[in-house]
Every structure is written in C-alpha cells, then in structure tokens.
Amino acid sequence: MAGWGWALLSPLALLVAAQLVAAPDPYGEECRSKTYPPSGPTFKGNVPTYVINLDLPPSKRWDSLMQDKKTELKTVVQNIKDIANTFFPSGKIVDIVDNKIAHLTATLPYPFNEELQGIANSSGIPLGEIVIFNIFYEIFTVCTSIVAEDKSGKLYHARNLDFGLFLGWDVKNNSWTITRELKPLVVSLDFQRNNKTVFRSTNFAGYIGMVSGVKPDLFTLTMNERFSLDGGYIGIFEWFLGRRDGMWMGFLTRTVLENATSYQDAKDKLAKTRLLAPAYFILGGKNSGEGCVITRSRTAALDIWDLDIKKGTWYVLETNYDRWKPPLVLDNRRTPAMKCLNQTMQENISLPAIYDVLSTKPVLNKLTVCTTLMKVYNGHTETYLRECPDPCSPW
C-alpha cells in the first residue's frame, strides 16, 4: 500500500506544483510608476539621522541614539522574548540568553564587544538580549537589492529591507508583529572620524552591524540573507560551542565600509573572508561596470555576477535565492522586479525609477520595513519607511 501511496502522491504533487508555477501571483500588480517622491498609502514616513562618532570610546558611541530609542528597542526585544516563551514556555531559553550568552560577548572582536556592552548600559536592556537582537539579523533578513547603471555610466544602488519572517503574525492588523515594531527603530547613521564622514548606513537602533551602506565616492553595499542548508543556524551554534573563525555578516560589512579603500578592496574582502552564515553581498562602485552580486557560502565565494554593459547586463538584482536556481514558488520577488527593470530600460533608469520597482507588489510586501536609495557620489543616501496595503503578499 505504501508503494501505491507514493505512486498516487507523486503525480498529484507534480500537478499541484505545476499549477502553482503557472498560476498568476494573486498579490502581483502591473509595474508601478511615479511613486517618487514617496507619498500615499505605501509611504510610512521619513527616518531620523544620527552621527556615530568613531573617535569616542566604543562603549560610548551609541549613547545618544539609545537615549532616544531605548523604549522602542525594549518593545522589540520583549516581543522576541515572548515568541521564544511561546515555543519554550519554561522560560529556560530567556534565562540562557540573560545569564549565559552575555558572557560570550567577550569572545567577539573589538570594538563590537564593547559597543554591545555600551548599548546594554545605555538602554538598560540585559547584555545577552542585546546580543540576541543582533544575532537575529544573521538569520531573519529577507530583502531585494539592485545595482543598476544608466547610459551615462552613473551607478544606482537600492534595496527593500524585509524583516520579521515567521516572527509573529498579528491577525487583527494583518501584519508581522516584529516588522511593524521595527519601523520606529529605523535610523540613518553618519559614521564620522575627525568630524568627517567615513560612511553612511541605514540601520536599526541597537544593531551594530551593517545591512546597507555607502562609502562616499568609493562604493555602496547591501547584504541579503542566503537560504542554505549550511545556514546561519549552524554557524551560530558553532560559535556558541567555541569555533569562532567565522565572521558575523554584519560585522564584516561594517568593517568593509569602515576600512576598505576601493571597490576592488571591498570586493576581495567580501568574497574571501570566512563567515558565520551564508550571504549575498551586493556591491556597487563609482566607475562604469563596477557592480556585482557575490554569492557566499560560509567558506568561499560560489559565484560573482558582475555588471557587463557590453553584454547587455546593465543591472544586477538579488533577492534571497541563487541566480542559477529558480526562486521559491511562494516567494518570487525576482521575476516581477526584473520585469519592471526591463520595462523601465537602461536609458530611463534612475533612483526614482528603481523606487517604482521596489514599490511594486510583491517586491513590496508585508515584511518590507523600509526602502533605501543610494548613489556613491558624495555618499548620497535616502531611506523611507514603507507600508503594503491589502491585498498584499505576506512575504
């Protein structure tokens, strides 16, 4: 009977899969236009800017930001704890976080260990919970990133930051709880040394790594999670167990933005540094052809997809799937984004045009926290909080 069951199930499964592939996306729509400057129901607001003074001791760099955002950060951290207690009602997980993980902070590289301690001190949140808040970005970030070059050779870099997958669906508000609560934490940061900008980024207050950033007149950078069996969970467990030769993704992007001296230098560091979790690094430069998606395992670069204007590749785009594989049927943001870019055409590409692409459902979805637009020239960056009105894809 078991054999008959499989014989019947397999064609049925194939039929269902085929129908899913062929069916139109119920949340899809025609490519948006004229959504910039941001306004209307998909625009939730602007974000504040803070200076992070790298000349200060690491433990003091985030004090001003934390004084303003500690209440919102406590709300998000408490929500994460509530989700953990739902799965582990004994409270042991939270106890481990508060009493065990804090001690592992000393194993993190300088200055990140001291910055995390400083944030805990300023916010009044236990150090272990601040560490867990930072770990979440290694494993729960679902994004869309684009680097495009126009006919004159100017480069544009933009991304939707989608976060909160499976972290509490609010039935009443038809939204992801963590996604909604993170929006008040989104900030633009200007990292300065000697009163001069070293780099700029879009961040969540309390997170010391970087998911989006620009080093003025050198390069732009975003990071997307890469779904893999050899995923971030494995690297994090190895770190807990004592193997610490891999670098946290957010720490690597932060280090590259702070210290890399050119597009090529950044590209080499992102491609070769051992990581705690697999990732996609999307990098843009200042010269024609300087743009790529680096597909990373924890130990090596599996693929580097470069802009190639002569061969017609005037943009590179990454969601959360390897470009040589089809995206998950239930999470295909790649195809509609590429359709809208192709429809726009290279001669019309600009940051407003890319904002239109990132405003088109399901590229814009219930997980989208914000949209960031960047140009390398003078370190231009702008970030807008987003909302996806119903009907809208949950991811």
Side-chain angles (χ1 to χ4, degrees):
M1 290 299 293
W4 279 104
W6 279 111
L8 290 171
L9 179 61
S10 297
L12 179 62
L14 288 171
L15 178 61
V16 171
Q19 288 177 336
L20 282 172
V21 171
D25 187 337
Y27 301 107
E29 62 183 4
E30 291 301 311
C31 299
R32 291 272 184 137
S33 62
K34 300 180 180 178
T35 61
Y36 186 96
S39 63
T42 67
F43 172 59
K44 190 72 174 178
N46 296 303
V47 302
T49 299
Y50 291 83
V51 172
I52 303 299
N53 185 353
L54 295 172
D55 293 321
L56 289 176
S59 62
K60 299 296 183 183
R61 292 172 180 173
W62 302 89
D63 284 0
S64 176
L65 176 57
M66 282 299 98
Q67 287 304 309
D68 287 353
K69 294 294 184 179
K70 60 184 177 183
T71 300
E72 292 87 345
L73 181 57
K74 287 177 181 177
T75 298
V76 173
V77 170
Q78 183 60 50
N79 200 295
I80 293 172
K81 289 166 64 176
D82 291 343
I83 292 170
N85 284 330
T86 299
F87 289 97
F88 304 96
S90 67
K92 287 185 178 180
I93 293 296
V94 173
D95 181 65
I96 290 171
V97 167
D98 287 346
N99 298 300
K100 303 293 184 182
I101 291 182
H103 299 297
L104 293 174
T105 309
T107 67
L108 295 174
Y110 176 90
F112 307 121
N113 50 359
E114 294 189 13
E115 290 188 8
L116 290 169
Q117 182 66 66
I119 289 172
N121 294 342
S122 297
S123 66
I125 299 172
L127 177 59
E129 294 175 16
I130 294 296
V131 174
I132 287 296
F133 180 74
N134 278 260
I135 285 175
F136 264 64
Y137 297 98
E138 303 286 310
I139 53 178
F140 283 107
T141 307
V142 187
C143 304
T144 301
S145 292
I146 298 166
V147 176
E149 180 176 327
D150 70 13
K151 286 287 190 179
S152 70
K154 289 182 180 178
L155 292 157
Y156 306 97
H157 193 155
R159 72 101 48 82
N160 275 356
L161 178 56
D162 302 345
F163 188 87
L165 184 62
F166 305 133
L167 296 180
W169 180 258
D170 183 338
V171 177
K172 182 179 178 181
N173 293 297
N174 202 26
S175 64
W176 295 100
T177 304
I178 294 292
T179 305
R180 186 179 67 249
E181 292 179 349
L182 277 171
K183 291 177 186 179
L185 284 177
V186 178
V187 290
S188 291
L189 301 179
D190 187 341
F191 287 79
Q192 295 186 2
R193 187 175 284 120
N194 298 322
N195 295 316
K196 294 182 178 180
T197 297
V198 179
F199 66 95
R200 297 187 176 100
S201 77
T202 299
N203 255 49
F204 295 113
Y207 177 64
I208 64 172
M210 298 293 120
V211 291
S212 308
V214 54
K215 189 151 191 174
D217 301 313
L218 287 179
F219 59 86
T220 53
L221 173 62
T222 55
M223 173 184 73
N224 290 13
E225 182 185 353
R226 178 172 176 256
F227 301 137
S228 170
L229 292 176
D230 184 25
Y233 297 97
I234 296 174
I236 289 168
F237 279 125
E238 287 182 351
W239 179 70
F240 286 154
L241 294 173
R243 180 174 180 174
R244 303 191 178 108
D245 57 342
M247 196 167 188
W248 298 82
M249 294 187 299
F251 293 172
L252 175 59
T253 51
R254 163 88 179 267
T255 300
V256 167
L257 281 163
E258 190 168 342
N259 299 312
T261 57
S262 67
Y263 170 83
Q264 189 60 49
D265 185 29
K267 188 175 181 179
D268 290 343
K269 287 180 168 65
L270 295 168
K272 297 176 181 178
T273 304
R274 184 182 175 91
L275 297 172
L276 206 65
Y280 300 103
F281 297 117
I282 302 88
L283 184 66
K286 65 178 181 178
N287 300 312
S288 175
E290 289 187 340
C292 66
V293 175
I294 302 170
T295 301
R296 283 294 314 267
S297 70
R298 293 194 295 138
T299 58
L302 303 180
D303 179 68
I304 299 179
W305 180 25
D306 291 295
L307 289 176
D308 191 336
I309 303 302
K310 291 182 179 179
K311 292 184 178 180
T313 305
W314 58 271
Y315 69 82
V316 292
L317 180 150
E318 182 56 58
T319 55
N320 300 95
Y321 304 96
D322 296 342
R323 70 183 180 103
W324 57 91
K325 298 177 182 178
L328 186 68
V329 172
L330 297 177
D331 181 30
N332 188 359
R333 289 161 283 130
R334 180 202 296 170
T335 300
M338 293 180 71
K339 172 189 171 184
C340 293
L341 284 167
N342 292 335
Q343 190 171 301
T344 300
M345 298 187 294
Q346 187 183 11
E347 50 264 37
N348 299 315
I349 203 66
S350 64
L351 285 185
I354 297 176
Y355 188 85
D356 287 339
V357 174
L358 295 174
S359 299
T360 301
K361 301 174 186 177
V363 183
L364 180 74
N365 57 74
K366 289 291 186 181
L367 286 169
T368 305
V369 177
C370 63
T371 298
T372 295
L373 310 175
M374 298 183 290
K375 288 190 293 188
V376 70
Y377 320 104
N378 298 316
H380 176 87
T381 181
E382 47 192 285
T383 296
Y384 305 101
L385 299 179
R386 305 306 302 272
E387 193 74 28
C388 190
D390 290 322
C392 177
S393 173
W395 48 72

